[in-house]
Amino acid sequence: MIVEGLSIPRYDAEPLLDSFLPYGHQVVARETIRNHDEFFLFVTAPTGSGKTDSWAIPALSGNLGVVMALYPTNALAEDQFRTLSSLRDHLGSQTRVEFVTSKTLGIMRDKAGTRMTRGDALEDLLRSMYRAGSGIVVTNPDIFIYAIKNYYYNKYLSSVLKSFVATIVFDEFHLYDLRQRDLILFILHDLLLSGSAGMRKFIFLSATPEPSLLEKVKDVIGVQPFVADVFCDLPVVDERLVLPEVDIDFRHGKRFRTGESIIAHLDDFLEFCEGFRTAVILDSAIEVALVSEILRNQTDLEICEASGFRRDPIGEGFDILVGNKAVEVGIDFKGDTAIQRLVFSGNTVSEFLQRFGRLRNPQPDVRYKALCYAPAGVVQHFSRYERMSRQELEDGLRRTMQDPHIFENFRWRYGYLEAWEYIYRNVKGIGVREARSMKKHRCDFPPLQGGVPKDVRLNYLNQGFDLIYHHYLKGGEVRPQKIKDHLPKLEDMSDAHLDIIEELGNFRGSELSLAYYQVRTGNIGTYNLFFLLRWADLDLVDRRTFLRRIPEDKVQEAKEVLDRAVGCAIVHGMNERPRRVSLDGARFSQMDEAEASRKPGKVFGIRPIVRSQDRGERPLDLVDVSKEIGKQGLFCRYLSHSGFISKRLYDLDDYTFLMNFKDGSLALGIDALYVDCAVHDLYLRKGDQ
């Protein structure tokens, strides 16, 4: 089937860069930035149409002050940092551009040679950019959220961020889920109402329109957003092709099984590539590892492997790139990384559009091809067509695919707790950490530092109640006059509620991770504990042994990741057959409650159990990992049925991670809250019938 290319108009207006005529979204974005001191600007345009240029060129010209540009993955942030640095050099700009992650903040801290924290390093960076009049911090949302919530050990960082950063850019905003969007808009609304914050310019970039987001900005925040799409009211000069015509073939495939299909039909796959640069986008890191290894062993092609677990250098060129979500939003696919062939798994609308959009920046006389492994209903639907437009393709996908979602009851069941901690920390300087300390020491006295002045405290608190109601609780069962009763002081909350707030503290959720060193590649990082226990050829070691066994020049890098891990692993490679991994432990109170009345919470005494299918393999030493999990506890929600049955019963997507436990299963981490909302929704609907 042929999917037609997409052309968008260029307009008779001042060129944005060199002599290149601007697109409609670039015209509107430039005029908004030039003529307004405060705005919510939504830039919606197809992949490859210069959304980044629409804000980056004004920013590099000093017209947006200090900017924090947030990207959903560190891989994409690093790629965009390179793009912005190249653009800065092309423009001859003196604006400083820095790539910031927890790891790079640690490096900045160590280079300073003084006793300082990551928060201190970020504060110094923002101050220096503010003094220079401009700067761009390229980072992930976690850094922004941690800083704005004052989670770093730096009492000034939150106020420095609010005062010195003028513009926030949220890229790929369509990839954020309900919880993440709610929190961001809540915090931005609070900043706008404060009157003292310097942040007044907010830019959202997306490949697809987000009507619900625009409605919330208008109806809840009370601001009329500016929308920059591909059209404007100036004369059209021409149209330019931004997405190529693609010959796409749909085949039936299941999530996490596309890699197997490629390996089973390797000759057909290599024929499909036809000597063109190809990208393969799969669902899991193990698919990526196995397909990459087969291609390295059975072909002479240059293979680039890119996943959250392993990331080969992209810039060195490749014949075939094999990756997962880290590729989906982590590579710009232009110039030397532009592809002409694409093989991918597509199981949801957003996933399909994101991955299919990697075929971009059309080259003349190139025939672009794609092969998509999708559910049977999708394959059947598109088998009737020989040719269609991009819009017809998207319409067909929306009829045959479902996007994963968080049930809206999450807002008034759990989401409001995160917002309340943010407000209460601002009011009194008390967050979860301080509340736990006060409860532990039976202390009624608040911290000596932090919180707003007493003369404005009551007004700010009442404003916070109002914000929480309209952003989170309006659709629930709480009446406005009962808000105060619904939001007790943090130090008066139960440990169970504090555990939930703590779990919500990570913007992208927390997980049990191992710090690893890959012997073959020299890579150091953290990755999901259960994935590595299942698939990796590894030695589990204690921290001292881990630091002793890695190269000396990697020790400092390793120390930066150890505090986020429950154990350490030396990884030699990947196994072809997975180990069996389960959880074991004593019964706990949740298990004795009815399904509808259970509440997610922290459980102690659970440990992983690993059984190898290779009888000759030496058993893994799980003592240290089990001790660490035992000390931290496991935040979970028990389900009465196995993971397989529970996913069908509660309409959970495949990425929801459930571990079988006893006669049922456990949802872990933030998934425990999402799953609980799905259970609640089902029982609520049953009650209405």
Side-chain angles (χ1 to χ4, degrees), residues 660-682:
N660 287 338
F661 182 80
K662 306 294 184 182
D663 296 325
S665 56
L666 294 177
L668 308 178
I670 197 72
D671 278 348
L673 298 175
Y674 294 162
V675 166
D676 187 68
C677 291
V679 174
H680 179 79
D681 183 79
L682 176 65

PDB file of all heavy atoms in Angstrom, residues 660-682:
ATOM      1  N   ASN A 660       3.872 -12.471  38.537  1.00  0.00           N
ATOM      2  CA  ASN A 660       3.082 -13.480  39.236  1.00  0.00           C
ATOM      3  C   ASN A 660       3.602 -13.651  40.668  1.00  0.00           C
ATOM      4  O   ASN A 660       4.817 -13.663  40.907  1.00  0.00           O
ATOM      5  CB  ASN A 660       3.137 -14.814  38.497  1.00  0.00           C
ATOM      6  CG  ASN A 660       2.311 -14.783  37.222  1.00  0.00           C
ATOM      7  OD1 ASN A 660       1.400 -13.961  37.079  1.00  0.00           O
ATOM      8  ND2 ASN A 660       2.624 -15.663  36.293  1.00  0.00           N
ATOM      9  N   PHE A 661       2.653 -13.766  41.613  1.00  0.00           N
ATOM     10  CA  PHE A 661       3.013 -13.892  43.023  1.00  0.00           C
ATOM     11  C   PHE A 661       1.941 -14.723  43.716  1.00  0.00           C
ATOM     12  O   PHE A 661       0.756 -14.363  43.693  1.00  0.00           O
ATOM     13  CB  PHE A 661       3.108 -12.501  43.672  1.00  0.00           C
ATOM     14  CG  PHE A 661       3.518 -12.532  45.113  1.00  0.00           C
ATOM     15  CD1 PHE A 661       4.850 -12.686  45.464  1.00  0.00           C
ATOM     16  CD2 PHE A 661       2.576 -12.400  46.122  1.00  0.00           C
ATOM     17  CE1 PHE A 661       5.236 -12.708  46.796  1.00  0.00           C
ATOM     18  CE2 PHE A 661       2.944 -12.424  47.462  1.00  0.00           C
ATOM     19  CZ  PHE A 661       4.284 -12.583  47.798  1.00  0.00           C
ATOM     20  N   LYS A 662       2.381 -15.846  44.320  1.00  0.00           N
ATOM     21  CA  LYS A 662       1.426 -16.763  44.952  1.00  0.00           C
ATOM     22  C   LYS A 662       0.355 -17.166  43.925  1.00  0.00           C
ATOM     23  O   LYS A 662       0.670 -17.551  42.813  1.00  0.00           O
ATOM     24  CB  LYS A 662       0.809 -16.124  46.194  1.00  0.00           C
ATOM     25  CG  LYS A 662       1.813 -15.617  47.211  1.00  0.00           C
ATOM     26  CD  LYS A 662       2.614 -16.732  47.847  1.00  0.00           C
ATOM     27  CE  LYS A 662       3.538 -16.197  48.933  1.00  0.00           C
ATOM     28  NZ  LYS A 662       4.378 -17.255  49.537  1.00  0.00           N
ATOM     29  N   ASP A 663      -0.927 -16.979  44.264  1.00  0.00           N
ATOM     30  CA  ASP A 663      -1.999 -17.350  43.337  1.00  0.00           C
ATOM     31  C   ASP A 663      -2.454 -16.181  42.467  1.00  0.00           C
ATOM     32  O   ASP A 663      -3.392 -16.323  41.681  1.00  0.00           O
ATOM     33  CB  ASP A 663      -3.212 -17.877  44.120  1.00  0.00           C
ATOM     34  CG  ASP A 663      -2.881 -19.156  44.873  1.00  0.00           C
ATOM     35  OD1 ASP A 663      -2.078 -19.952  44.344  1.00  0.00           O
ATOM     36  OD2 ASP A 663      -3.408 -19.346  45.984  1.00  0.00           O
ATOM     37  N   GLY A 664      -1.804 -15.035  42.610  1.00  0.00           N
ATOM     38  CA  GLY A 664      -2.201 -13.850  41.845  1.00  0.00           C
ATOM     39  C   GLY A 664      -1.009 -13.196  41.185  1.00  0.00           C
ATOM     40  O   GLY A 664      -0.121 -13.878  40.664  1.00  0.00           O
ATOM     41  N   SER A 665      -0.974 -11.860  41.212  1.00  0.00           N
ATOM     42  CA  SER A 665       0.133 -11.130  40.592  1.00  0.00           C
ATOM     43  C   SER A 665       0.308  -9.786  41.273  1.00  0.00           C
ATOM     44  O   SER A 665      -0.582  -9.317  41.999  1.00  0.00           O
ATOM     45  CB  SER A 665      -0.123 -10.931  39.092  1.00  0.00           C
ATOM     46  OG  SER A 665      -1.362 -10.275  38.863  1.00  0.00           O
ATOM     47  N   LEU A 666       1.457  -9.162  41.051  1.00  0.00           N
ATOM     48  CA  LEU A 666       1.779  -7.874  41.647  1.00  0.00           C
ATOM     49  C   LEU A 666       2.063  -6.848  40.559  1.00  0.00           C
ATOM     50  O   LEU A 666       2.825  -7.116  39.624  1.00  0.00           O
ATOM     51  CB  LEU A 666       3.011  -7.979  42.552  1.00  0.00           C
ATOM     52  CG  LEU A 666       2.907  -8.821  43.823  1.00  0.00           C
ATOM     53  CD1 LEU A 666       4.254  -8.849  44.529  1.00  0.00           C
ATOM     54  CD2 LEU A 666       1.836  -8.278  44.748  1.00  0.00           C
ATOM     55  N   ALA A 667       1.452  -5.672  40.684  1.00  0.00           N
ATOM     56  CA  ALA A 667       1.842  -4.503  39.893  1.00  0.00           C
ATOM     57  C   ALA A 667       2.801  -3.705  40.758  1.00  0.00           C
ATOM     58  O   ALA A 667       2.526  -3.458  41.936  1.00  0.00           O
ATOM     59  CB  ALA A 667       0.613  -3.666  39.533  1.00  0.00           C
ATOM     60  N   LEU A 668       3.936  -3.293  40.181  1.00  0.00           N
ATOM     61  CA  LEU A 668       5.000  -2.672  40.962  1.00  0.00           C
ATOM     62  C   LEU A 668       5.157  -1.198  40.629  1.00  0.00           C
ATOM     63  O   LEU A 668       4.907  -0.765  39.500  1.00  0.00           O
ATOM     64  CB  LEU A 668       6.329  -3.396  40.695  1.00  0.00           C
ATOM     65  CG  LEU A 668       6.329  -4.911  40.864  1.00  0.00           C
ATOM     66  CD1 LEU A 668       7.693  -5.485  40.513  1.00  0.00           C
ATOM     67  CD2 LEU A 668       5.946  -5.297  42.293  1.00  0.00           C
ATOM     68  N   GLY A 669       5.617  -0.441  41.611  1.00  0.00           N
ATOM     69  CA  GLY A 669       5.930   0.965  41.389  1.00  0.00           C
ATOM     70  C   GLY A 669       4.707   1.774  40.989  1.00  0.00           C
ATOM     71  O   GLY A 669       3.593   1.547  41.465  1.00  0.00           O
ATOM     72  N   ILE A 670       4.911   2.722  40.081  1.00  0.00           N
ATOM     73  CA  ILE A 670       3.818   3.597  39.657  1.00  0.00           C
ATOM     74  C   ILE A 670       2.710   2.802  38.983  1.00  0.00           C
ATOM     75  O   ILE A 670       1.532   3.192  39.020  1.00  0.00           O
ATOM     76  CB  ILE A 670       4.363   4.699  38.714  1.00  0.00           C
ATOM     77  CG1 ILE A 670       3.364   5.857  38.596  1.00  0.00           C
ATOM     78  CG2 ILE A 670       4.715   4.157  37.365  1.00  0.00           C
ATOM     79  CD1 ILE A 670       3.255   6.702  39.829  1.00  0.00           C
ATOM     80  N   ASP A 671       3.064   1.647  38.378  1.00  0.00           N
ATOM     81  CA  ASP A 671       2.038   0.784  37.775  1.00  0.00           C
ATOM     82  C   ASP A 671       1.014   0.327  38.805  1.00  0.00           C
ATOM     83  O   ASP A 671      -0.147   0.071  38.469  1.00  0.00           O
ATOM     84  CB  ASP A 671       2.679  -0.449  37.119  1.00  0.00           C
ATOM     85  CG  ASP A 671       3.218  -0.147  35.728  1.00  0.00           C
ATOM     86  OD1 ASP A 671       2.896   0.930  35.193  1.00  0.00           O
ATOM     87  OD2 ASP A 671       3.960  -0.982  35.185  1.00  0.00           O
ATOM     88  N   ALA A 672       1.427   0.214  40.072  1.00  0.00           N
ATOM     89  CA  ALA A 672       0.501  -0.209  41.114  1.00  0.00           C
ATOM     90  C   ALA A 672      -0.655   0.775  41.246  1.00  0.00           C
ATOM     91  O   ALA A 672      -1.812   0.381  41.450  1.00  0.00           O
ATOM     92  CB  ALA A 672       1.240  -0.343  42.447  1.00  0.00           C
ATOM     93  N   LEU A 673      -0.361   2.073  41.109  1.00  0.00           N
ATOM     94  CA  LEU A 673      -1.405   3.089  41.193  1.00  0.00           C
ATOM     95  C   LEU A 673      -2.280   3.082  39.951  1.00  0.00           C
ATOM     96  O   LEU A 673      -3.504   3.184  40.031  1.00  0.00           O
ATOM     97  CB  LEU A 673      -0.766   4.467  41.378  1.00  0.00           C
ATOM     98  CG  LEU A 673       0.052   4.644  42.658  1.00  0.00           C
ATOM     99  CD1 LEU A 673       0.740   5.999  42.672  1.00  0.00           C
ATOM    100  CD2 LEU A 673      -0.821   4.492  43.896  1.00  0.00           C
ATOM    101  N   TYR A 674      -1.645   2.962  38.772  1.00  0.00           N
ATOM    102  CA  TYR A 674      -2.413   2.945  37.521  1.00  0.00           C
ATOM    103  C   TYR A 674      -3.346   1.732  37.470  1.00  0.00           C
ATOM    104  O   TYR A 674      -4.510   1.841  37.067  1.00  0.00           O
ATOM    105  CB  TYR A 674      -1.465   2.905  36.317  1.00  0.00           C
ATOM    106  CG  TYR A 674      -0.618   4.143  36.141  1.00  0.00           C
ATOM    107  CD1 TYR A 674       0.523   4.125  35.343  1.00  0.00           C
ATOM    108  CD2 TYR A 674      -0.941   5.342  36.766  1.00  0.00           C
ATOM    109  CE1 TYR A 674       1.299   5.260  35.161  1.00  0.00           C
ATOM    110  CE2 TYR A 674      -0.168   6.475  36.602  1.00  0.00           C
ATOM    111  CZ  TYR A 674       0.955   6.428  35.801  1.00  0.00           C
ATOM    112  OH  TYR A 674       1.722   7.551  35.629  1.00  0.00           O
ATOM    113  N   VAL A 675      -2.831   0.576  37.885  1.00  0.00           N
ATOM    114  CA  VAL A 675      -3.636  -0.647  37.876  1.00  0.00           C
ATOM    115  C   VAL A 675      -4.797  -0.521  38.859  1.00  0.00           C
ATOM    116  O   VAL A 675      -5.924  -0.933  38.571  1.00  0.00           O
ATOM    117  CB  VAL A 675      -2.759  -1.872  38.205  1.00  0.00           C
ATOM    118  CG1 VAL A 675      -3.625  -3.082  38.532  1.00  0.00           C
ATOM    119  CG2 VAL A 675      -1.822  -2.181  37.035  1.00  0.00           C
ATOM    120  N   ASP A 676      -4.547   0.056  40.023  1.00  0.00           N
ATOM    121  CA  ASP A 676      -5.611   0.232  41.005  1.00  0.00           C
ATOM    122  C   ASP A 676      -6.736   1.089  40.436  1.00  0.00           C
ATOM    123  O   ASP A 676      -7.914   0.828  40.691  1.00  0.00           O
ATOM    124  CB  ASP A 676      -5.049   0.876  42.271  1.00  0.00           C
ATOM    125  CG  ASP A 676      -6.078   0.927  43.389  1.00  0.00           C
ATOM    126  OD1 ASP A 676      -6.442  -0.149  43.898  1.00  0.00           O
ATOM    127  OD2 ASP A 676      -6.525   2.033  43.729  1.00  0.00           O
ATOM    128  N   CYS A 677      -6.378   2.100  39.646  1.00  0.00           N
ATOM    129  CA  CYS A 677      -7.404   2.946  39.016  1.00  0.00           C
ATOM    130  C   CYS A 677      -8.197   2.165  37.976  1.00  0.00           C
ATOM    131  O   CYS A 677      -9.404   2.377  37.816  1.00  0.00           O
ATOM    132  CB  CYS A 677      -6.755   4.174  38.380  1.00  0.00           C
ATOM    133  SG  CYS A 677      -6.090   5.338  39.588  1.00  0.00           S
ATOM    134  N   ALA A 678      -7.529   1.255  37.264  1.00  0.00           N
ATOM    135  CA  ALA A 678      -8.231   0.415  36.294  1.00  0.00           C
ATOM    136  C   ALA A 678      -9.219  -0.516  36.996  1.00  0.00           C
ATOM    137  O   ALA A 678     -10.349  -0.715  36.530  1.00  0.00           O
ATOM    138  CB  ALA A 678      -7.222  -0.395  35.476  1.00  0.00           C
ATOM    139  N   VAL A 679      -8.796  -1.101  38.121  1.00  0.00           N
ATOM    140  CA  VAL A 679      -9.689  -1.968  38.896  1.00  0.00           C
ATOM    141  C   VAL A 679     -10.885  -1.168  39.400  1.00  0.00           C
ATOM    142  O   VAL A 679     -12.044  -1.597  39.283  1.00  0.00           O
ATOM    143  CB  VAL A 679      -8.922  -2.598  40.087  1.00  0.00           C
ATOM    144  CG1 VAL A 679      -9.886  -3.369  40.982  1.00  0.00           C
ATOM    145  CG2 VAL A 679      -7.811  -3.511  39.589  1.00  0.00           C
ATOM    146  N   HIS A 680     -10.609   0.009  39.941  1.00  0.00           N
ATOM    147  CA  HIS A 680     -11.680   0.865  40.461  1.00  0.00           C
ATOM    148  C   HIS A 680     -12.671   1.224  39.356  1.00  0.00           C
ATOM    149  O   HIS A 680     -13.885   1.210  39.568  1.00  0.00           O
ATOM    150  CB  HIS A 680     -11.068   2.136  41.050  1.00  0.00           C
ATOM    151  CG  HIS A 680     -12.079   3.095  41.593  1.00  0.00           C
ATOM    152  ND1 HIS A 680     -12.678   2.944  42.824  1.00  0.00           N
ATOM    153  CD2 HIS A 680     -12.622   4.221  41.058  1.00  0.00           C
ATOM    154  CE1 HIS A 680     -13.520   3.933  43.031  1.00  0.00           C
ATOM    155  NE2 HIS A 680     -13.509   4.716  41.980  1.00  0.00           N
ATOM    156  N   ASP A 681     -12.154   1.515  38.171  1.00  0.00           N
ATOM    157  CA  ASP A 681     -13.021   1.890  37.051  1.00  0.00           C
ATOM    158  C   ASP A 681     -13.950   0.743  36.668  1.00  0.00           C
ATOM    159  O   ASP A 681     -15.137   0.950  36.403  1.00  0.00           O
ATOM    160  CB  ASP A 681     -12.158   2.298  35.851  1.00  0.00           C
ATOM    161  CG  ASP A 681     -12.979   2.774  34.673  1.00  0.00           C
ATOM    162  OD1 ASP A 681     -13.424   3.936  34.697  1.00  0.00           O
ATOM    163  OD2 ASP A 681     -13.184   1.982  33.734  1.00  0.00           O
ATOM    164  N   LEU A 682     -13.402  -0.472  36.632  1.00  0.00           N
ATOM    165  CA  LEU A 682     -14.227  -1.627  36.266  1.00  0.00           C
ATOM    166  C   LEU A 682     -15.352  -1.835  37.282  1.00  0.00           C
ATOM    167  O   LEU A 682     -16.514  -2.031  36.897  1.00  0.00           O
ATOM    168  CB  LEU A 682     -13.354  -2.883  36.184  1.00  0.00           C
ATOM    169  CG  LEU A 682     -14.107  -4.183  35.892  1.00  0.00           C
ATOM    170  CD1 LEU A 682     -14.736  -4.151  34.502  1.00  0.00           C
ATOM    171  CD2 LEU A 682     -13.179  -5.391  36.021  1.00  0.00           C
TER     172      LEU A 682
END
